[in-house]
């Protein structure tokens, strides 16, 4: 199915529509009931930003039922630097305002009849959904239904799809398409999956390893924590990144590393630290396992050897290794997707995480904080109704069938994003529910599109028409975040000694005929109770509203949503906890030979259990004469996984951030170094073709010294399959730019199945600009 880039069409439309279009371009603040809106009284309400799921607190200003302004919340754990400091929102968070009143949203439930999506009532939509789920179970088995729900304002998705319907197949952003190696190595090594966010404010040495902390956050507190550490502690900031990012610009040291060589650099830093006796001998002696194997791997990687592999300077490697070790334990490494989304990402993150154990910064001020969650009540604790858990003893297909015995990832994970198309072909997956997510942008895109079209049942719960909702059998229009009650809990935040919760009642009523996700799931469940005569599905009837359910969850903390949401803030600091609470028996594992599931996967993948250097191309693509450039995608602070694309205010800001005028918005751009551009006769503004062994597409080039020679990058989440950006309800039209995952196939980290986003490509002028 071919879909066309519509950038120029959109601009032509904008010009034609003149002033009226200009008003829409400013987003929700000028849409809806604007003619009356200056008359009504201004009130305030709260929200919690879910654009990157990290809950920065929002203060919403509401007039006549419309949100007219949005700001941060002072002192908010994720949105500020702590008590008495201003809360802010990044452009993605602010875009919730645009989203709430956006006329391009899906406004009514739809079901497919005779090949066409038709508007129906909610009653009919729920009835039809239940009918299709029942017949799907009879024909295919519920265990072949894939739960592809992303982050949500309610946690009952799992109860519906796994416990009640009976599917063991779950694909989530975290492990499969975000940072599987970082999360899973952290857990196995003993420091948990949150080893990616150190105790910034108390740090004296911060390494942003493959992370652009000042431009893409896990909550606004993160960037603020780094800046506070620099200002208050005189902290050193080091950025390790093949691109000269905004964080690199502010850093004391920028290490322009060759892509996929991070594992060698980490071992080399360990080499310096061990050779020079700078490591924490007491911690290593008392709290670690596998140091000998680690030391052996590190001794094999002196800085001169690492310099050749990484393209870095051996003396700079020594300087940074010494600086990090000497500042320890007040030294932290921030690591996440940048080093994880590669075929050798497992070893890169294992080697990087090992540095924490080496210098003993575990759970010490300024080091690797072992963040803790507050103890809100789980679903099981608040549920007063017994039901049969239908997926409890079912094996996911990847573990169950011999067809997948060549994939080591099956020992660790139940499914891998890139293997779903193969599982559909094998009829081990026959249906899917997608919520607020578009897996067609996350890897192996062409095959995923075919897989979605081949499935027997596709349910989309979303606010926008995108690659999945346009192809779905059932489309259930979701309210946006400011139209829902929310409860957020988390760990890392601006208060390193406090657990916290944040929550908000809906700031405005759901627009058009949309519903919050909690109400959609309850509607499906109630209809399933009717259709199946199975009382298990009545489980949500014990709560009259999402707020009542949230209040039950908060009961362990003696709080209600009303308590959190009233007054001048929408959060509560609930429990204090100290550093270094891990106890005498704590073990940090350099070598993962004690973890049976990993040992089995590693053996099949031909990998050691201890830290080691694995060169690029061992798993995944190698560059070649035909495809001499390495492509990897990046994120934008303006678009959360591409899902803010319909908002023209952000599109214009994005173009300007790239030193272009808003007329030059073309979706995502391709960044390449002048050396690579000159060799191909490419200039900024040219349209270029980017091609891999698997696919190709067109992008507008931006020639910049900020990209390393040999590396080309572009923002992911655009183009084919993205939310539409032009006109109302023009479902056939795709967004501007290119879905860069059309270049991709099934390559992945063999251990976690994490999508490997490093692709060998070549770039050539396409003609035109
Ligand atoms: S960092 Fe930005 S997108 Fe993420 S939660 Fe905060 S405001 Fe929202």
């Amino acid at each position: 199915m071919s879909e066309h880039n519509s950038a120029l069409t959109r601009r032509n439309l904008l010009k034609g529509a003149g002033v009226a279009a200009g008003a829409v371009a400013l987003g929700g603040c000028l849409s809806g009931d604007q003619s009356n809106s200056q008359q009504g009284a201004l009130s305030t309400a709260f929200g919690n930003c879910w654009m990157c799921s990290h809950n920065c607190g929002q203060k919403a200003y509401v007039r006549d039922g419309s949100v007219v302004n949005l700001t941060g919340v002072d002192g908010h754990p994720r949105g500020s630097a702590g008590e008495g400091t201003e809360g802010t929102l990044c452009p993605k968070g602010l875009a919730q305002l645009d989203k709430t009143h956006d006329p391009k949203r899906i406004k009514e439930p739809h079901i497919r009849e005779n090949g066409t999506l038709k508007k129906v009532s909610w009653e009919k939509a729920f009835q039809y959904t239940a009918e299709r789920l029942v017949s799907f179970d009879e024909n295919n088995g519920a265990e072949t239904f894939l739960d592809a729900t992303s982050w949500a304002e309610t946690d009952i998705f799992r109860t519906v799809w796994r416990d009640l319907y009976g599917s063991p197949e779950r694909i989530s952003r975290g492990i499969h398409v975000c940072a599987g190696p970082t999360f899973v190595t952290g857990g196995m090594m003993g420091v948990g999956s949150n080893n990616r966010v150190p105790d910034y404010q108390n740090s004296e040495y911060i390494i942003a390893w493959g992370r652009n902390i000042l431009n893409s956050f896990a909550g606004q507190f993160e960037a603020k924590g780094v800046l506070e550490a620099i200002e208050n502690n005189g902290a050193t900031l080091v950025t390790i990144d093949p691109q000269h990012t905004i964080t690199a610009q502010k850093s004391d040291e920028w290490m322009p590393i060759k892509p996929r060589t991070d594992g060698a650099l980490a071992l080399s830093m360990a080499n310096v630290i061990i050779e020079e006796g700078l490591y924490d001998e007491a911690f290593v002696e008392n709290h670690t396992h596998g140091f000998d194997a680690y030391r052996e791997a590190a001794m094999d990687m002196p800085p001169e050897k690492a310099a050749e592999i990484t393209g870095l300077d051996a003396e700079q490697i020594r300087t940074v290794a010494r600086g990090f070790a000497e500042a320890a334990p007040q030294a932290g490494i921030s690591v996440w997707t940048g080093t994880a989304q590669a075929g050798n990402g497992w070893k890169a993150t294992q080697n990087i995480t090992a540095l924490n154990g080496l210098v003993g910064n575990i759970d010490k001020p300024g080091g690797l904080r072992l963040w803790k969650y507050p103890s809100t009540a789980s679903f099981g604790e608040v549920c007063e109704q017994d039901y049969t858990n239908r997926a409890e003893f079912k094996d996911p297909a990847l573990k169950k069938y011999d067809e997948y015995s060549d994939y080591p990832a099956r020992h660790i994970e139940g499914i891998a994003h890139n293997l779903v198309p193969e599982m559909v072909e094998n009829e081990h997956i026959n249906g899917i529910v997608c919520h607020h997510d578009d897996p067609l942008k996350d890897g192996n895109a062409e095959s995923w599109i075919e897989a979605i079209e081949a499935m027997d049942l596709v349910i989309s719960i979303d606010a926008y028409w995108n690659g999945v909702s346009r192809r779905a059998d059932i489309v259930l229009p979701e309210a946006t975040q400011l139209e829902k009650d929310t409860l957020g809990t988390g760990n890392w935040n601006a208060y390193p000694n406090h657990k916290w919760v944040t929550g908000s009642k809906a700031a405005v009523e759901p627009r058009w005929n949309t519903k919050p996700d909690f109400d959609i799931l309850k509607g499906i469940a109630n209809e399933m109770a009717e259709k199946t005569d199975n009382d298990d599905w009545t489980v949500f009837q014990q709560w009259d509203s999402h707020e009542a359910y949230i209040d039950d969850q908060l009961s362990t903390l003696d709080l209600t949503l009303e308590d959190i949401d009233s007054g001048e803030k929408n959060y509560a600091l609930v429990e204090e906890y100290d550093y270094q609470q891990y106890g005498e028996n704590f073990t940090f594992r350099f070598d993962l030979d004690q973890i049976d599931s990993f040992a089995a996967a590693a053996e099949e993948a031909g990998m050691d259990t201890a830290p080691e250097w694995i060169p690029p191309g061992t798993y995944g693509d190698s560059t070649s004469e035909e495809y001499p450039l390495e492509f990897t995608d990046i994120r934008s602070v303006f678009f959360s996984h591409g899902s803010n694309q319909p908002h023209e205010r952000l599109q214009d800001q994005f173009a300007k951030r790239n030193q272009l005028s808003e007329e030059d918005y073309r979706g995502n751009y391709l960044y390449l170094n002048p050396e690579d551009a000159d060799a191909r006769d490419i200039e900024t503004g040219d349209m270029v073709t980017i091609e891999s062994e698997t696919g190709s597409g067109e992008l507008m080039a931006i020639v910049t010294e900020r990209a390393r020679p040999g590396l080309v990058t572009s923002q992911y989440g655009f183009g084919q399959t993205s939310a539409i950006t032009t006109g109302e309800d023009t479902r056939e039209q795709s967004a501007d730019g290119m879905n860069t995952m059309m270049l991709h196939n099934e390559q992945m980290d063999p251990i976690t199945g994490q999508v490997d986003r490093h692709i060998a490509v070549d770039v050539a002028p396409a003609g035109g600009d």
Side-chain angles (χ1 to χ4, degrees):
M1 179 172 297
S2 75
E3 294 168 288
H4 304 286
N5 183 312
S6 62
L8 298 174
T9 314
R10 172 186 163 271
R11 287 295 159 195
N12 292 341
L13 275 175
L14 266 181
K15 276 180 197 152
V19 177
V24 172
L26 289 170
C29 52
L30 291 181
S31 65
D33 303 319
Q34 180 64 16
S35 54
N36 297 323
S37 69
Q38 302 305 326
Q39 310 303 320
L42 192 67
S43 61
T44 57
F46 289 110
N48 287 101
C49 179
W50 281 85
M51 288 308 297
C52 74
S53 90
H54 293 304
N55 285 302
C56 290
Q58 297 162 316
K59 195 164 186 179
Y61 295 80
V62 180
R63 181 178 275 137
D64 291 341
S66 291
V67 183
V68 295
N69 195 14
L70 209 51
T71 64
V73 174
D74 286 357
H76 193 277
R78 277 274 166 83
S80 83
E83 204 106 60
T85 67
E86 191 195 1
T88 52
L89 299 164
C90 77
K92 298 191 291 276
L94 283 169
Q96 288 292 350
L97 185 148
D98 305 57
K99 230 175 167 173
T100 303
H101 305 293
D102 188 350
K104 290 180 229 135
R105 279 171 54 181
I106 307 173
K107 297 173 182 141
E108 307 283 342
H110 288 68
I111 62 173
R112 192 172 294 279
E113 281 176 349
N114 303 322
T116 309
L117 280 169
K118 301 216 168 98
K119 291 177 192 174
V120 290
S121 65
W122 275 105
E123 193 187 3
K124 169 87 179 154
F126 287 143
Q127 278 171 5
Y128 185 70
T129 304
E131 273 165 30
R132 291 294 303 267
L133 285 169
V134 170
S135 64
F136 182 90
D137 188 19
E138 284 165 5
N139 297 332
N140 302 294
E143 65 275 10
T144 71
F145 191 73
L146 175 58
D147 168 10
T149 56
S150 187
W151 50 74
E153 286 85 356
T154 176
D155 59 353
I156 65 171
F157 278 89
R158 180 190 161 95
T159 312
V160 171
W161 302 118
R162 184 182 169 87
D163 300 354
L164 299 178
Y165 191 53
S167 175
E169 302 290 5
R170 163 103 180 102
I171 194 161
S172 68
R173 293 216 67 79
I175 288 178
H176 304 115
V177 296
C178 189
T182 310
F183 299 154
V184 181
T185 54
M188 290 181 180
M189 292 173 90
V191 290
S193 60
N194 283 304
N195 66 91
R196 59 200 195 270
V197 180
D199 180 15
Y200 294 118
Q201 279 112 317
N202 295 307
S203 200
E204 291 182 355
Y205 204 98
I206 297 168
I207 301 181
W209 203 315
R211 287 207 66 203
N212 188 3
I213 308 174
L214 301 184
N215 201 40
S216 64
F217 330 98
Q220 292 276 292
F221 86 97
E222 212 188 6
K224 293 170 184 174
V226 172
L227 295 175
E228 268 202 0
I230 292 170
E231 192 175 322
N232 299 342
N233 316 336
T236 300
L237 177 62
V238 176
T239 294
I240 301 169
D241 202 308
Q243 293 182 95
H244 193 246
T245 59
I246 285 176
T247 308
Q249 236 175 306
K250 302 262 183 232
S251 293
D252 298 278
E253 300 273 348
W254 172 44
M255 304 181 87
I257 191 168
K258 276 190 200 161
R260 296 188 288 175
T261 64
D262 306 84
L265 174 61
L267 281 180
S268 177
M269 285 173 61
N271 176 297
V272 175
I273 293 167
I274 295 169
E275 280 270 294
E276 298 186 10
L278 299 173
Y279 67 100
D280 186 336
E281 280 185 60
F283 184 84
V284 168
E285 175 74 18
N286 298 325
H287 287 294
T288 67
H289 165 77
F291 181 63
D292 289 345
Y294 180 35
R295 178 167 45 198
E296 208 178 297
M299 287 307 109
D300 198 32
M301 190 57 71
E304 280 67 26
K305 181 175 169 184
E308 264 177 47
I309 295 170
T310 59
L312 298 171
D313 178 74
E315 269 322 297
Q316 190 183 34
I317 296 174
R318 285 198 173 84
T319 304
V320 170
R322 286 176 192 139
F324 174 70
E326 280 162 4
Q330 283 173 277
I333 302 174
S334 180
V335 65
W336 201 338
T337 57
T339 54
Q341 298 182 347
N344 63 355
W346 180 276
K347 281 297 161 186
T349 54
Q350 188 181 0
N351 296 353
I352 293 165
T353 303
L355 286 168
N356 294 306
L358 187 62
V359 301
N361 68 356
I362 314 293
D363 218 20
K364 307 234 174 95
L368 177 64
R369 185 70 167 122
L370 300 186
W371 303 97
K372 293 195 165 108
Y373 281 97
S375 45
T376 50
S378 67
F379 187 82
E381 285 167 318
V382 296
C383 180
E384 291 184 2
Q385 181 176 325
D386 280 339
Y387 58 80
T388 307
N389 186 329
R390 289 184 171 69
E392 199 175 15
F393 301 108
K394 290 183 186 170
D395 276 335
L398 200 62
K399 291 187 194 295
K400 189 169 163 186
Y401 297 108
D402 288 345
E403 281 92 330
Y404 312 110
S405 58
D406 286 345
Y407 298 118
R410 75 190 188 287
H411 295 288
I412 309 286
E413 277 307 309
I415 204 162
H417 176 93
N418 289 350
L419 298 181
V420 169
E422 184 181 334
M423 296 161 96
V424 172
E425 213 177 311
N426 293 337
E427 297 185 14
H428 296 146
I429 298 290
N430 294 306
I432 192 168
V433 55
C434 279
H435 167 248
H436 183 50
D437 201 6
D438 187 350
L440 312 184
K441 293 187 294 197
D442 285 328
N444 204 6
E446 194 86 60
S447 304
W448 254 95
I449 291 170
E450 284 169 20
I452 287 277
E453 289 175 351
M455 287 182 194
D456 279 357
L457 177 60
V458 178
I459 301 175
S460 172
I461 304 173
D462 212 311
Y464 283 95
W465 293 109
N466 58 29
V468 175
S469 51
R470 291 198 303 245
R471 292 174 171 86
D473 300 291
I474 299 165
V475 180
L476 305 173
E478 200 191 356
T480 60
Q481 171 239 302
L482 288 164
E483 300 163 322
K484 302 179 198 177
D485 297 337
T486 62
L487 174 65
T489 60
N491 33 38
W492 20 272
N493 75 99
Y495 301 86
N497 295 92
H498 279 284
K499 300 179 192 173
W500 57 282
V501 290
T502 186
S504 307
K505 294 183 194 177
V508 289
E509 288 292 312
R511 307 283 288 196
W512 300 291
N513 199 11
T514 66
K515 281 185 191 292
D517 42 9
F518 184 88
D519 295 355
I520 293 174
L521 293 169
K522 192 171 166 182
I524 294 172
N526 288 348
E527 202 52 47
M528 285 296 279
E530 294 278 319
K531 290 270 177 310
T532 61
D533 248 353
N534 182 339
D535 283 347
D536 286 355
W537 285 101
T538 62
V539 69
F540 305 116
Q541 291 172 13
Q542 61 193 296
W543 296 285
D544 289 338
S545 64
H546 193 199
E547 182 173 357
Y549 172 59
I550 290 172
D551 283 348
D552 271 1
Q553 291 178 291
L554 286 170
S555 58
T556 46
L557 298 169
D558 210 13
L559 284 169
T560 64
L561 190 60
E562 175 75 28
D563 295 334
I564 300 178
D565 186 74
S566 54
E568 277 307 297
K569 55 183 194 173
N570 64 341
Y571 66 89
L573 304 179
V574 287
E575 290 168 54
E576 208 167 338
Y577 64 107
D578 211 345
Y579 291 90
Q580 236 177 308
Q581 295 296 295
Y582 46 72
E584 279 181 17
N585 295 328
F586 173 78
T587 301
F588 179 92
R589 293 184 195 90
F590 294 115
D591 193 332
L592 295 172
D593 54 345
Q594 297 172 327
I595 310 289
D596 292 343
S597 56
F598 172 70
E603 191 180 350
E604 286 178 19
M607 200 183 273
D608 203 342
T609 53
E612 68 182 320
W613 162 233
I614 293 187
T618 310
Y619 311 105
D621 269 3
S622 296
T623 50
S624 62
E625 219 171 283
E626 197 178 355
Y627 300 112
L629 300 172
E630 181 162 344
F631 171 86
T632 190
D633 56 7
I634 50 175
R635 305 288 187 272
S636 159
V637 75
F638 297 95
F639 304 96
S640 187
H641 303 288
S643 69
N644 278 346
Q645 286 175 348
H647 309 306
E648 289 162 16
R649 185 162 61 100
L650 291 174
Q651 295 173 359
D652 294 343
Q653 286 175 0
F654 180 63
K656 284 179 188 149
R657 173 65 68 89
N658 283 287
Q659 278 84 47
L660 297 166
S661 65
E662 54 197 62
E663 282 73 27
D664 289 323
Y665 176 76
R666 297 285 185 279
N668 45 349
Y669 305 103
L670 186 79
Y671 305 93
L672 73 171
N673 184 274
E675 210 176 276
D676 299 318
D678 289 348
R680 291 165 177 79
D681 207 14
I682 292 168
E683 290 177 8
T684 293
D686 291 349
M687 292 305 291
V688 295
T689 302
I690 176 165
E691 183 186 301
S692 71
E693 207 170 35
T694 308
S696 67
E698 280 190 19
L699 286 166
M700 188 172 122
I702 293 185
V703 179
T704 172
E705 297 274 2
R706 290 182 171 220
R708 242 194 96 90
L711 175 73
V712 291
T713 61
S714 183
Q715 289 84 6
Y716 111 107
F718 288 74
Q720 300 97 320
T721 83
S722 284
I724 57 159
T725 61
T726 316
E728 189 175 349
D729 218 14
T730 50
R731 286 177 223 163
E732 300 314 314
Q733 206 141 22
S734 65
D736 302 321
M738 174 193 170
N739 176 356
T740 54
M741 288 293 102
M742 301 298 270
L743 300 168
H744 190 258
N745 55 25
E746 68 279 356
Q747 68 192 58
M748 60 191 192
D749 155 41
I751 304 299
T752 60
Q754 155 75 50
V755 174
D756 171 2
R757 309 179 91 108
H758 287 258
I759 308 166
V761 298
D762 202 3
V763 176
D769 54 26

